[in-house]
Amino acid sequence: MLVLIAEDAEIKINPCKAIPLDFVFVIDSSRSIRSEDYEKVKTFIINLLQFLDIGHDATRVGLLQYGSVVQPEFSLNTYSSRAEVEQAVGDMEHLATGTMTGLAIQYTMETAFTEEQGARPLNMHIPRIAMIVTDGRPQDSVKEVAAEARNAGIQIFAIGVGRVDMKILKAIGSEPHSEHVHLVANFSQIETLISVFQTKLCEGIDYCDLGIHGCEHSCISLPESFVCRCMKGYILNLDGKTCSKIDHCADGRHGCEQEFMNTEDSCVCKCRKGFTLRPDGKTCSVDVCQTVDHGCEHQCVTSGSSYMCKCFEGFVLAEDKRSCKSRRAFLDLVFVIDGSKSLGPANFELVKQFVNSIVDSLDISRTGTHVGLIQYSTKVRTEFTLGQYVTVDSIKQAVRRMEYMGRGSRTGSALRHMFESSFSSREGARPNTQRVTIVFTDGRSQDDVSEWASKAKNSGITIYALGIGKAIEQELREIASEPDEMHLYYAESFEKMGEITQKRIPGFWCECALFYMTKKLQTLENQLLQT
C-alpha cells in the first residue's frame, strides 16, 4: 500500500509479495494530453511500480509511448531495479503528436514481448501484462490487433481518461472487462486506480485468463499456477492438458449380446441391423421390418413377431393399411392486422400483399377453409367475416379494398374482438373446425394483450404472432400459442424479415404452403427497401 504524508516526511511503502511478471506500459503521448497531465501519468506509473518486485528473476518492466509513431523508452531487459525504471520514467519527454493506438498494440505484441526484448519463454508461464493508458479516440483500428494480442497470451489492461469511448476500451482490454477496463474523468483521478491495481498485482494473476494454459477442455486457476480439467465422460491424459473419452465398456462386463457403445457416463448395448434391443437392454430380437417385404409407404414398426405400417405427421393410413393419404385440415382462419400509424400507408399495402400470398395457398371453398379479417388501430374494424367470401379471388379482392386506418395501436382490443365476435356462429364460425388466428404487429400495444390472448388460447384458438421492427418480444410471447418456436416469429426490420423464413414450421404453416409464402416475404422485403 502506498501512503503519502507531508512533503518533508518519508514515503513509506508496504510492498506486497507478487509473482514475477513481464509488464509493459503502453502510454498515450498524443498532443491532446497537456504537459501537466503527462506528468500525472508518469507519477501514476512510478507509484504503481512500488507494488512490483522488479529484477531480472522477478518482474521485468518495459515501457513505450506513442503518438503518430511508437517510441520505445526501455525494454523488458533494459533495467533490473526499481530505481533505474523510475529514473527512466521521470526522464521521458512528451511526444505531442497523433494517436496511433493500434500501431502501439501491434508493436507491443510483435516486438516488446519477444525474447530478444527480454520477455521470458511462454513455457515458463510468466504472465505477460500490457497496461495501455489513453485519453482519446485512436486514429487507426484497434479491435483486430488487440484481439490478436490477447490470443497470443498478453493480458491487457485498458485505462481511459476523459472522454474516451468505452466501446473502444472494451475492444482493447481483456475479459472480464470489469477487471481489465477502467475509465476515469480526468488525469487527477488516475491515482484512484492505484489501490485497484495493488489488489490485482498482490493477489496474483489469473493464469487461465492469459489464454496460454493449453487446456483442451477447461482451466482452473490456482494461487500461482493452474490445472486442467476435463468435461464429464472424459479423463485427463498424462500430459495434464488433453482429454480422452472414458471407455466404460473396456472392462467387458457390459453383457451385451451383439454390440455396445460408450455414452457420456455408461456403456450401452446395441443390436445389428435387422434386430431390435429387448427391454432387458442387453439381448436382441429379430426386427421383422428388416426381414420382410412389408410394402409400407412411410414407416414400418415391428410389433412382437409381426409388424404394422405408420404414416408421417399430416397423413393417415389408407384402406390397404400400407399406403398413406394426406390428412388435410380445413380451418376457420382470422387475420388480425395492425393498421396503426407507425406502419405507414406504403407498408400497409405490403401487408395486404402478404395476407393475399397466404390466401393463395389455402384450400378455400364453401366446405373448405374459411377466412375472416379484422384491422385495428385505436378502434377495431371487421373487414369481412368467416364465410362471407368462399373463393380465393373474392377474399383477395376484399383484402385489396381494405382502407388503412392509421391511428393508435390497441392490440388487446383487437384480440378481444377476435375472441368474442370473429369466431362466433353469427359471423360464420363452424363447430368442430380448427380455429386459427394470425396476428401481425409492428409496435408496442397501447393496452394489455395478455388477458384476451389467454382467453382465446384457452378456448382452443391457435394464435400465430408475427412481429416486425418495434414489436415487443414479451407481448408477442403473451399473444402466441405455445411452444414459441412454432408460433412466434420476429424480425428486427423488414430488411431482416427473411430470417423468419429460416424456420421449418410444422402443422398449420405446412398446410399454408410455407415455402410459397416465404418467397412472397422476400419479394415484399425488396419492395420495402425501395419505398
Side-chain angles (χ1 to χ4, degrees):
M1 178 177 180
L2 179 64
V3 181
L4 297 181
I5 52 180
E7 289 185 2
D8 58 348
E10 296 182 8
I11 297 178
K12 296 184 178 181
I13 306 297
N14 294 324
C16 61
K17 183 180 179 181
I19 62 173
L21 309 171
D22 284 345
F23 200 118
V24 175
F25 290 94
V26 183
I27 305 303
D28 185 346
S29 188
S30 59
R31 64 175 67 91
S32 62
I33 300 176
R34 298 177 300 175
S35 297
E36 57 267 32
D37 290 333
Y38 183 73
E39 293 302 317
K40 291 174 183 175
V41 174
K42 291 162 68 172
T43 300
F44 168 73
I45 295 171
I46 291 172
N47 286 340
L48 193 59
L49 293 173
Q50 311 311 310
F51 307 110
L52 300 177
D53 181 17
I54 297 174
H56 179 76
D57 295 322
T59 290
R60 300 181 183 181
V61 177
L63 187 146
L64 60 93
Q65 58 176 330
Y66 69 94
S68 299
V69 297
V70 176
Q71 178 169 305
E73 296 294 334
F74 50 90
S75 61
L76 291 167
N77 57 7
T78 303
Y79 301 118
S80 57
S81 72
R82 182 184 298 114
E84 291 175 307
V85 175
E86 290 177 356
Q87 182 65 46
V89 172
D91 293 340
M92 287 195 309
E93 295 184 1
H94 191 194
L95 299 179
T97 56
T99 313
M100 301 295 285
T101 310
L103 182 65
I105 296 173
Q106 185 171 3
Y107 181 91
T108 303
M109 173 181 61
E110 295 180 351
T111 303
F113 279 112
T114 60
E115 293 182 34
E116 291 76 14
Q117 293 285 314
R120 282 159 284 195
L122 289 173
N123 60 16
M124 291 183 65
H125 299 298
I126 302 295
R128 295 182 173 185
I129 311 296
M131 181 173 288
I132 300 174
V133 181
T134 181
D135 85 324
R137 183 181 295 275
Q139 295 173 331
D140 56 358
S141 175
V142 299
K143 183 176 181 180
E144 292 78 9
V145 70
E148 188 177 352
R150 295 192 300 268
N151 291 335
I154 301 172
Q155 190 170 355
I156 302 178
F157 291 89
I159 301 175
V161 183
R163 300 178 66 181
V164 182
D165 189 339
M166 180 57 82
K167 290 183 180 179
I168 292 176
L169 291 179
K170 289 182 177 180
I172 295 173
S174 297
E175 292 187 352
H177 290 145
S178 59
E179 296 184 15
H180 296 88
V181 176
H182 302 275
L183 179 62
V184 294
N186 52 58
F187 284 94
S188 296
Q189 292 185 10
I190 197 170
E191 286 294 320
T192 62
L193 298 178
I194 288 291
S195 61
V196 175
F197 289 110
Q198 176 192 5
T199 301
K200 184 68 178 174
L201 296 173
C202 289
E203 289 181 353
I205 302 297
D206 189 330
Y207 280 89
C208 294
D209 281 350
L210 296 176
I212 59 174
H213 49 75
C215 298
E216 182 178 1
H217 285 181
S218 62
C219 175
I220 307 297
S221 287
L222 300 177
E224 294 188 9
S225 184
F226 66 91
V227 293
C228 297
R229 290 285 184 268
C230 297
M231 296 184 299
K232 184 178 180 182
Y234 291 80
I235 189 171
L236 195 65
N237 293 328
L238 294 177
D239 61 9
K241 295 181 181 295
T242 59
C243 301
S244 295
K245 197 167 186 178
I246 298 174
D247 187 354
H248 296 284
C249 301
D251 59 12
R253 293 185 295 179
H254 47 74
C256 300
E257 181 182 356
Q258 293 187 358
E259 298 177 354
F260 50 85
M261 64 176 290
N262 277 285
T263 63
E264 187 178 87
D265 50 19
S266 65
C267 178
V268 297
C269 299
K270 292 178 61 180
C271 296
R272 293 190 292 272
K273 185 177 180 180
F275 294 82
T276 56
L277 195 64
R278 290 194 174 102
D280 63 9
K282 297 182 180 297
T283 60
C284 302
S285 60
V286 175
D287 185 344
V288 180
C289 290
Q290 299 289 337
T291 59
V292 300
D293 184 13
H294 51 73
C296 297
E297 182 179 0
H298 285 182
Q299 295 173 295
C300 176
V301 179
T302 297
S303 177
S305 59
S306 185
Y307 69 91
M308 59 183 295
C309 297
K310 291 186 66 176
C311 298
F312 298 136
E313 184 178 355
F315 293 83
V316 294
L317 205 60
E319 290 73 14
D320 62 5
K321 301 301 181 182
R322 284 178 169 76
S323 57
C324 299
K325 59 184 180 180
S326 175
R327 181 172 55 196
R328 190 171 185 83
F330 297 126
L331 316 169
D332 279 349
L333 168 64
V334 174
F335 288 96
V336 179
I337 302 300
D338 187 346
S340 61
K341 59 185 176 184
S342 62
L343 195 65
N347 288 344
F348 185 71
E349 291 301 313
L350 295 172
V351 172
K352 289 159 65 173
Q353 293 180 36
F354 167 79
V355 171
N356 278 343
S357 69
I358 297 179
V359 171
D360 271 329
S361 66
L362 297 172
D363 186 7
I364 294 172
S365 66
R366 191 170 299 279
T367 58
T369 291
H370 288 185
V371 174
L373 188 147
I374 61 175
Q375 181 189 170
Y376 71 93
S377 60
T378 304
K379 297 182 178 180
V380 183
R381 184 171 71 205
T382 299
E383 301 292 348
F384 52 89
T385 63
L386 287 167
Q388 185 173 343
Y389 303 108
V390 292
T391 66
V392 169
D393 288 341
S394 60
I395 293 175
K396 291 175 66 176
Q397 288 176 11
V399 172
R400 285 192 288 266
R401 289 195 301 267
M402 194 166 52
E403 294 184 0
Y404 176 47
M405 298 175 77
R407 299 183 66 184
S409 180
R410 297 180 63 84
T411 313
S413 295
L415 292 169
R416 177 177 182 175
H417 183 94
M418 174 271 292
F419 171 68
E420 292 185 337
S421 301
S422 298
F423 285 107
S424 65
S425 57
R426 67 178 178 274
E427 292 202 3
R430 297 168 291 181
N432 303 319
T433 302
Q434 184 180 357
R435 297 180 175 186
V436 176
T437 291
I438 302 175
V439 180
F440 181 95
T441 180
D442 84 325
R444 181 188 293 273
S445 176
Q446 295 171 343
D447 59 358
D448 178 65
V449 301
S450 59
E451 178 184 358
W452 294 103
S454 296
K455 287 183 177 180
K457 289 181 285 189
N458 290 338
S459 73
I461 299 172
T462 301
I463 303 180
Y464 292 84
L466 276 67
I468 304 294
K470 295 182 180 180
I472 306 302
E473 183 178 355
Q474 181 58 36
E475 285 188 1
L476 295 175
R477 292 186 185 278
E478 291 174 354
I479 292 170
S481 295
E482 293 183 350
D484 289 347
E485 63 269 16
M486 292 178 62
H487 300 92
L488 186 155
Y489 305 97
Y490 172 79
E492 293 180 0
S493 63
F494 278 98
E495 291 90 330
K496 294 185 177 181
M497 206 169 174
E499 293 177 1
I500 294 175
T501 70
Q502 302 298 318
K503 302 183 179 181
R504 175 74 180 181
I505 314 166
F508 163 71
W509 287 102
C510 288
E511 298 298 320
C512 288
L514 170 66
F515 298 108
Y516 176 85
M517 184 192 73
T518 57
K519 291 184 181 297
K520 290 286 186 180
L521 287 173
Q522 291 166 349
T523 301
L524 296 184
E525 172 192 340
N526 295 331
Q527 292 173 333
L528 277 170
L529 291 172
Q530 300 169 6
T531 60

